[in-house]
């Protein structure tokens, strides 16, 4: 293991990319939490025996009071912070019901691609943020979520 890397198993986290009207839903971390005050993609820690998809449905319901349909995984990565390691799995999610509310987060926002860079995110999100800044297809409104491998969704007849 690299020097300074945590020695315990990584914390497994599911995170959602929820789009509406060309905007992406982001939430703010509690000030007293690890990386407090930073913005993130909504989601949370996976419980034992829970799939990443089930984790997202539960977390978005608890955190924001919304219902989602979980689509394909867009990215997966493990990031080592000095004090802990996290394994993140990011999924495209379709928002299906209820307006978001800040139930278990201090704040949330719907942001455009241009506004995304005005918000500070944890280092673990850097790679996905770069993709969101350059891959316009991730922001396109379609009946189907984008493909995880970078290919555009199939053409509609």
């Amino acid at each position: 293991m690299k020097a300074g890397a945590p020695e315990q198993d990584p914390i497994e986290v599911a995170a959602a990319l929820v789009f509406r009207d060309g905007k992406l839903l982001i939430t703010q971390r509690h000030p007293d939490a690890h990386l407090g005050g930073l913005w993130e993609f909504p989601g949370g820690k996976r419980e034992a025996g829970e799939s990443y998809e089930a984790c997202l449905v539960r977390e978005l319901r608890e955190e924001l009071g919304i219902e989602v349909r979980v689509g394909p995984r867009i990215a997966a990565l493990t990031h080592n912070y000095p004090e802990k390691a996290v394994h993140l799995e990011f999924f495209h999610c379709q928002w299906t019901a209820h307006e978001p509310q800040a139930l278990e987060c201090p704040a949330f926002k719907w942001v455009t691609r241009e506004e995304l860079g005005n918000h500070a995110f944890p280092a673990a999100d850097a790679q996905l943020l770069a993709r969101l800044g350059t891959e316009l297809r991730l922001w396109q409104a379609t009946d189907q979520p984008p493909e995880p491998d970078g290919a555009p969704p199939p053409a509609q007849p």
Side-chain angles (χ1 to χ4, degrees):
M1 182 162 290
K2 298 188 303 188
E7 297 197 14
Q8 71 271 14
D9 289 335
I11 297 166
E12 296 178 330
V13 175
L17 299 179
V18 182
F19 293 92
R20 177 169 83 174
D21 300 326
K23 294 186 176 184
L24 176 63
L25 182 62
I26 61 173
T27 56
Q28 190 172 35
R29 297 182 60 82
H30 282 281
D32 56 345
H34 177 249
L35 306 172
L38 297 180
W39 291 87
E40 65 184 355
F41 304 103
K45 294 178 190 168
R46 187 169 76 118
E47 295 178 354
E50 184 178 46
S51 70
Y52 284 95
E53 294 86 350
C55 174
L56 279 178
V57 169
R58 176 183 54 78
E59 286 283 352
L60 273 63
R61 186 178 295 142
E62 293 172 357
E63 189 175 321
L64 296 162
I66 64 172
E67 300 295 326
V68 297
R69 182 176 306 116
V70 180
R73 185 176 69 190
I74 300 300
L77 61 94
T78 300
H79 184 84
N80 290 319
Y81 290 102
E83 62 281 0
K84 65 176 78 175
V86 293
H87 176 75
L88 293 152
E89 300 225 358
F90 299 93
F91 291 82
H92 188 283
C93 293
Q94 182 180 6
W95 172 62
T96 60
H98 311 299
E99 284 297 320
Q101 305 170 60
L103 300 175
E104 291 188 6
C105 61
F108 70 88
K109 289 183 180 182
W110 292 99
V111 296
T112 65
R113 186 172 63 88
E114 295 76 19
E115 295 166 335
L116 192 58
N118 298 333
H119 298 79
F121 281 78
D125 292 342
Q127 183 180 8
L128 182 58
L129 288 165
R131 284 185 63 192
L132 287 164
T134 60
E135 293 183 33
L136 299 180
R137 68 173 187 80
L138 292 173
W139 296 83
Q140 293 172 352
T142 64
D143 291 337
Q144 296 182 329
E147 295 296 319
D149 64 1
Q156 299 298 315

